[in-house]
Amino acid sequence: MARNADRSTDMTIAPEQAPAPERTEDRPSPPPARAVTGLIDLAEVVFRELPGHRPEILEGRLIVNPPPDGHHADSLTGLTLALAELHRGETKVRQGIGLWLPTGDEDYVIPDLSVVDADALDHVVAYNCFDPRVFRMVVEITSGNHVNDTVTKPPLYARAGVPVYLIGNRREEEVVLLTDPREDGYRTRSVHRPGETLVLPESIGAKIEIDVDTLLPR
C-alpha cells in the first residue's frame, strides 16, 4: 500500500548512533536457495508469494490469474446453490480444484467450479491436480482472463474429455454451454442471454435448469 510522503516511517541513523558493523563470521549462513527447475516450480512460487492469485499452465505457458472480484464470487455462490442437489451421492460440487491436462508435461488448469465424481479425491495425478476423467462439468466465470476462458481453454478441456464446459462471459453478457468434446474441440455450442434459462445435461448427475442471471449478476 502506498504511503503519504509526509508520513514516511523510513529512518536514518546518525553516524554517531550507527551500530558497529557485524563481523561476517558472526552472521548465520543463509538457507540454500531452492532451484527453480520448471514452470511447475514457478507456479509454486506464485502460490506462495502472491496469495489470492491463481497460476495455471496452458500449453506450456504459465498464466497468472488475478484475485476475483465480488461479482465473480456472487456468480460462483449462486451457481453452487443452484447445483446443491449434485453435492451428494455420486457427485460433488467443488470450487478451485486442479485438473491435470493431457496437452503438456506440466499443463494443468484450475476451473472456478467443477462437478466431479464423488471419489475424485482418490484420483490425484500430480501437484494436487486430478485426473480429467473424474470431471463431469467445469465452469469458468470470466474476469481479466477473458480470452483464456473463451478461446484458449475450450479446446484444452475438450481434448481432456470434460463432457460439459459452462462459461459465464461477463464481457459479452452471455452464458455459453459447450458439450460433446472431441480432440479438436466441442461439437455443440449454445448461447444464452440474461433473462433466459438453460438446462444442463443430465450427464452431470441430474437435469438442472438454471437462470442465466445467476452467472451474470449485476
Side-chain angles (χ1 to χ4, degrees), residues 24-43:
T24 303
E25 60 269 21
D26 293 335
R27 298 175 187 170
S29 299
R34 180 175 181 271
V36 175
T37 59
L39 291 179
I40 284 287
D41 286 321
L42 289 175

Side-chain angles (χ1 to χ4, degrees), residues 47-181:
F47 273 123
R48 184 173 64 252
E49 302 295 336
L50 297 174
H53 290 71
R54 186 179 59 186
E56 300 173 314
I57 299 176
L58 308 177
E59 297 183 306
R61 294 182 299 120
L62 177 62
I63 307 296
V64 179
N65 303 294
D69 60 23
H71 289 302
H72 187 282
D74 287 344
S75 297
L76 290 182
T77 298
L79 183 58
T80 299
L81 293 173
L83 300 176
E85 68 177 275
L86 295 177
H87 196 63
R88 61 175 65 93
E90 296 182 354
T91 56
K92 297 292 182 182
V93 180
R94 294 198 170 101
Q95 294 187 19
I97 64 170
L99 184 156
W100 195 257
L101 292 167
T103 53
D105 293 339
E106 297 181 299
D107 284 8
Y108 75 92
V109 66
I110 305 178
D112 288 323
L113 183 143
S114 304
V115 177
V116 297
D117 294 344
D119 66 347
L121 299 183
D122 296 329
H123 298 276
V124 176
V125 176
Y127 295 94
N128 203 33
C129 294
F130 300 89
D131 190 322
R133 290 175 294 184
V134 304
F135 289 78
R136 300 193 181 196
M137 179 175 75
V138 295
V139 181
E140 300 282 12
I141 308 298
T142 64
S143 295
N145 53 0
H146 173 86
V147 173
N148 287 332
D149 289 341
T150 60
V151 177
T152 306
K153 290 182 180 178
L156 302 182
Y157 280 134
R159 186 173 172 185
V162 178
V164 181
Y165 179 25
L166 186 66
I167 307 170
N169 189 333
R170 297 164 62 193
R171 177 179 296 182
E172 302 298 331
E173 294 191 337
E174 63 185 21
V175 171
V176 179
L177 179 64
L178 301 173
T179 58
D180 193 9

